[in-house]
Amino acid sequence: MGSLHHIKHLALTLLKTPTTTLRTPSDLKRLHVYLIKTHLHLTSSFAVGNLISRAASLGLLSHASTMFDQMPHPNVFVYNNLIRAFHLHHHPQNALLVFLRMNVVPDSFTFVATIKACVEDPAFFRMGASIHARSVRTGFDRDVPVATGLIEFYAARAGVDAARKVFDEMGSRDVVSWTTMLACYVNVSDDIASAREVFDTMPEKDVKAWGAMVGGYVKAGDMGRAREVFDEAPSRDLLMRNVMLGGYAKAGEVGELMRLFDGMRDRDVVSWNTVIGGLVQGERFNDAVAVFHRMQVENARPNRVTFVNVLSGCARVGALDVGRWIHSYIDRNGFVVDAVVGTALVDMYSKCGALESATHVFGRMARKDVAAWNSMIMGYSMNGRGEKSLEFFHAMRREGVEPNEVTMVGVLSSCAHAGMVEEGKRCFEMMQGELGIAPTTEHYGCVVDLLGRAGLLREAREFIQSMPVEPGTNVWGALLGACKIHKNVALAELAVEHLIKLGVDDGGSIEIDGAVHEFGVGEKAHERCREIYAMLREVAERLRRAGHVAETGEAFFDVEEEEKEMALSTHSERLAVAFGLIGLRKGEVIRVVKNLRVCVDCHAVIKLISKVFEREIVVRDRSRFHHFKEGRPAMQNLVKHSVFA
DNA sequence: ATAGGGTTAG
């Protein structure tokens, strides 16, 4: 109820203890109206300053600036809050403009806020230096928070030595300035030894100082030392535990991660997100989804980071059901699909082979940055739609979005899939020239793929030899793929030799009812193993009747004939497809994710399975998708939601 | 009445 009594009460409370009231935007809007009605907005710097401060933290910047504009004589308190408001909303230029135009004497709070704004953008280096000079002239540089702000400013803009100079010249230091100096060594110069030296020299340490030191070791990847400091600290707060969780997540120490997490009395959304992210990184996808479900049970509210983490897990294992569920959760709960969440959705859909949904999400995104375009370009490329992918590339350039190295991987692989050799070569040239992007092993792999697929095997081989960097698995994998297509056994053996040396193994997985099942070659460990092999025998029998003969020429050159047939029929992707035939209801699309390329025989067999068993099958391998429907490689209806339609 | 330091993401 917006009764006048209620509003008056709110206003009076605000004037006494402003930070504890006004929790919602509507509270603030009512108060705004009240201040105007009572003309307090013209005279009370106290009321207006506080309103600006609360408006900024509630995301209502327009209320803040309206109130400011209406005030004839704002005092320094009002100015400070407006500068802080702009800074909070990432408008450092506006913050500094307010500072330059203010016609009252700045105080130490003003200097802190403006220096902070200068840290945000490298363009404000000279501005920051001149504010520093002004603080020296007016004596505000002796204020500890001002000097601390300057340490951060110089560390970010001129390096840690310049920051250290300010630190050394400070008249007095407190625990915050010491911790700031420590953090500069950690974040700016990766100098853990100097950070430790500062830590050992500090006259007093609070929980944040201990936390900063833990974070330093975490960033250096030294979890042993991080744990030592963590255990040694006189007290541990939530943030410090989260830092530790992040370290275990980054190091892939999932056991320690879960042990610490489960032992925590209270957790915030960062704790949950860190654990989910760590499980996804550690390829423990089912556990990651389980933790997400645990969040619901424990009434913990997820945020956009949670969604992005879970979605990236879905993308990696091709878990379309879970991904769709997350998408509907986002919509149901009114979360905004911003550039990052949108890209995560697009990426998930396209890596699950659901291009139609990916295109739909992309089309509805308000802001599309490089990463968003990349996910579309990559998505179409991986799904074998090279021309469409290049259309997106050109649209992106028309929109004035600068391509990066990820874009070019997508573009080059599109050219490879579409057989556009000359276009691909042109793009490779353009990338190094016009765009000034240095090629990575990914790009070289794409070029090998481009040449190899087109049958230019000798050129591909020569290209590999001319590479200035060591060829990775992707490069040899591309060459092997080309050898399979063009039946070049000698070159294939060379590629396989390198792949084995680089430690590549074989595996595939499939998602049933939100759970991921993994299969290796000749896998026998799965709980429904007997059923799966029975199904494989049925598959073999039905395919034989349909006239299939295995093309054993290309796999295992040194294996006896029968063993060859056996090994081929237990290739991981076939085990997974067989499991899909058992575990999924008729009419559901069977989606399989594989970490190597699908061999020619499996490709042929799965094509036949899709026909004989009347199932739609999508197999994703390390470079692209294979859609099968009614015995043919199938394409979904992609044009409907396309931005070009 | 307003300030400065350690945590998660496409």
Side-chain angles (χ1 to χ4, degrees):
Chain A
M1 283 288 289
S3 73
L4 196 63
H5 180 78
H6 175 65
I7 296 167
K8 195 166 180 177
H9 175 77
L10 250 177
L12 291 173
T13 322
L14 172 92
L15 297 177
K16 281 181 202 149
T17 50
T19 48
T20 56
T21 53
L22 278 180
R23 307 189 60 85
T24 68
S26 63
D27 279 347
L28 186 111
K29 283 174 190 163
R30 284 202 294 264
L31 184 82
H32 189 172
V33 171
Y34 177 76
L35 292 186
I36 291 170
K37 269 190 191 160
T38 53
H39 303 290
L40 276 172
H41 69 296
L42 300 173
T43 54
S44 173
S45 284
F46 178 77
V48 172
N50 280 312
L51 184 126
I52 290 173
S53 160
R54 300 302 298 154
S57 53
L58 292 169
L60 299 164
L61 194 57
S62 58
H63 285 257
S65 52
T66 306
M67 203 58 119
F68 176 82
D69 288 340
Q70 287 171 342
M71 197 169 201
H73 303 294
N75 73 359
V76 66
F77 176 63
V78 175
Y79 274 108
N80 291 347
N81 281 314
L82 189 66
I83 291 169
R84 274 172 45 75
F86 278 126
H87 170 241
L88 210 73
H89 286 258
H90 305 291
H91 294 300
Q93 63 279 39
N94 286 357
L96 293 167
L97 221 60
V98 172
F99 171 67
L100 292 173
R101 288 182 187 167
M102 70 190 273
N103 50 13
V104 293
V105 181
D107 62 10
S108 65
F109 293 90
T110 321
F111 280 99
V112 169
T114 47
I115 290 163
K116 201 76 185 150
C118 292
V119 176
E120 231 188 282
D121 192 323
F124 299 124
F125 175 64
R126 292 179 60 84
M127 183 74 187
S130 93
I131 291 170
H132 180 194
R134 188 164 165 186
S135 74
V136 171
R137 283 200 304 277
T138 47
F140 282 113
D141 65 322
R142 306 192 64 79
D143 182 272
V144 179
V146 170
T148 308
L150 287 167
I151 292 173
E152 218 176 34
F153 170 74
Y154 281 109
R157 296 283 89 87
V160 78
D161 292 337
R164 181 68 193 229
K165 194 159 168 285
V166 175
F167 177 76
D168 286 337
E169 287 168 5
M170 279 175 79
S172 60
R173 299 178 195 96
D174 63 7
V175 62
V176 180
S177 34
W178 281 94
T179 310
T180 303
M181 195 62 243
L182 188 162
C184 288
Y185 282 121
V186 170
N187 298 321
V188 179
S189 58
D190 279 318
D191 184 353
I192 189 73
S194 299
R196 181 73 204 217
E197 214 178 296
V198 170
F199 184 70
D200 289 336
T201 320
M202 290 173 74
E204 49 153 347
K205 303 176 181 76
D206 61 7
V207 68
K208 291 183 183 184
W210 285 92
M213 196 64 240
V214 172
Y217 283 123
V218 162
K219 184 148 187 277
D222 187 344
M223 287 311 290
R225 291 260 163 73
R227 185 77 207 201
E228 269 174 34
V229 178
F230 181 78
D231 288 335
E232 212 183 306
S235 68
R236 281 158 287 275
D237 64 4
L238 179 57
L239 213 151
M240 197 165 160
R241 283 175 221 276
N242 285 347
V243 171
M244 215 43 209
L245 288 177
Y248 286 133
K250 192 157 65 81
E253 296 183 30
V254 176
E256 289 296 327
L257 175 71
M258 294 315 292
R259 202 205 316 255
L260 179 59
F261 180 75
D262 288 330
M264 281 163 64
R265 273 184 298 106
D266 39 42
R267 311 172 175 119
D268 65 3
V269 67
V270 176
S271 328
W272 289 99
N273 293 347
T274 306
V275 165
I276 292 172
L279 290 169
V280 168
Q281 293 277 307
E283 316 252 288
R284 297 268 297 267
F285 177 71
N286 291 335
D287 293 331
V289 174
V291 172
F292 179 73
H293 289 312
R294 221 170 115 192
M295 278 184 89
Q296 327 295 110
V297 174
E298 298 184 23
N299 270 326
R301 193 175 155 76
N303 64 10
R304 32 211 284 283
V305 181
T306 324
F307 303 135
V308 170
N309 278 336
V310 181
L311 287 170
S312 98
C314 293
R316 283 168 58 163
V317 293
L320 184 60
D321 288 350
V322 182
R324 277 202 202 285
W325 191 84
I326 299 286
H327 189 179
S328 76
Y329 185 98
I330 290 169
D331 286 345
R332 279 200 312 274
N333 291 281
F335 283 94
V336 177
V337 177
D338 63 10
V340 178
V341 174
T343 304
L345 281 168
V346 169
D347 194 50
M348 181 276 295
Y349 279 128
S350 56
K351 290 215 169 96
C352 290
L355 267 187
E356 199 177 327
S357 303
T359 312
H360 184 71
V361 172
F362 184 75
R364 292 173 61 106
M365 281 167 65
R367 198 176 71 85
K368 301 176 174 78
D369 60 12
V370 209
W373 284 99
N374 287 351
S375 66
M376 274 325 274
I377 290 168
M378 216 53 171
Y380 273 91
S381 169
M382 282 189 306
N383 285 278
R385 297 278 311 237
E387 326 77 37
K388 198 78 191 166
S389 169
L390 290 174
E391 276 182 46
F392 276 97
F393 176 58
H394 294 127
M396 168 189 184
R397 301 214 70 191
R398 278 199 302 278
E399 302 265 315
V401 179
E402 182 85 355
N404 63 15
E405 57 282 345
V406 180
T407 319
M408 297 317 291
V409 172
V411 169
L412 290 172
S413 58
S414 295
C415 294
H417 292 149
M420 301 158 80
V421 178
E422 290 312 311
E423 173 85 8
K425 284 180 178 173
R426 255 203 309 282
C427 288
F428 192 62
E429 292 300 315
M430 173 179 79
M431 165 180 144
Q432 293 170 86
E434 191 186 327
L435 299 174
I437 298 168
T440 66
T441 178
E442 282 293 303
H443 299 107
Y444 289 117
C446 294
V447 175
V448 171
D449 197 31
L450 178 81
L451 299 171
R453 274 171 193 270
L456 305 167
L457 289 176
R458 201 170 55 87
E459 207 179 319
R461 170 84 201 267
E462 282 164 10
F463 182 81
I464 292 178
Q465 280 164 341
S466 74
M467 281 171 53
V469 294
E470 200 61 36
T473 54
N474 61 323
V475 172
W476 294 114
L479 187 67
L480 180 61
C483 292
K484 285 179 178 181
I485 297 167
H486 299 288
K487 307 252 187 266
N488 185 328
V489 175
L491 210 50
E493 280 177 339
L494 177 84
V496 169
E497 207 174 283
H498 280 93
L499 283 171
I500 291 169
K501 214 184 290 173
L502 292 166
V504 179
D505 63 349
D506 186 34
S509 62
I510 180 167
E511 179 195 344
I512 306 274
D513 293 333
V516 172
H517 301 261
E518 290 195 35
F519 298 91
V521 174
E523 175 85 41
K524 298 252 162 47
H526 194 274
E527 51 184 11
R528 294 176 72 178
C529 188
R530 291 171 64 96
E531 281 177 75
I532 292 166
Y533 279 87
M535 178 51 87
L536 271 179
R537 277 192 295 277
E538 189 190 332
V539 168
E541 186 46 41
R542 284 175 70 169
L543 293 189
R544 199 150 295 162
R545 268 186 273 142
H548 168 70
V549 180
E551 283 183 33
T552 44
E554 74 150 276
F556 316 106
F557 298 98
D558 52 350
V559 189
E560 295 293 318
E561 275 299 320
E562 296 128 52
E563 280 180 48
K564 270 193 239 175
E565 280 259 10
M566 190 57 213
L568 277 176
S569 61
T570 56
H571 265 186
S572 59
E573 57 268 45
R574 283 199 221 181
L575 291 172
V577 169
F579 184 56
L581 289 171
I582 302 164
L584 288 168
R585 283 162 293 274
K586 193 134 183 144
E588 282 183 295
V589 180
I590 299 173
R591 293 170 194 277
V592 174
V593 182
K594 188 175 161 47
N595 67 356
L596 278 182
R597 277 157 189 272
V598 177
C599 80
V600 171
D601 193 61
C602 284
H603 196 279
V605 168
I606 294 168
K607 197 161 74 179
L608 274 168
I609 292 175
S610 85
K611 180 176 179 159
V612 174
F613 289 81
E614 293 172 12
R615 301 295 289 258
E616 186 173 349
I617 304 171
V618 179
V619 180
R620 167 186 144 194
D621 68 19
R622 57 173 293 124
S623 65
R624 58 174 292 180
F625 287 87
H626 307 268
H627 296 253
F628 303 96
K629 199 174 180 179
E630 293 157 16
R632 299 187 305 272
M635 263 346 285
Q636 298 176 1
N637 176 10
L638 303 164
V639 191
K640 203 162 62 186
H641 294 294
S642 160
V643 291
F644 302 108

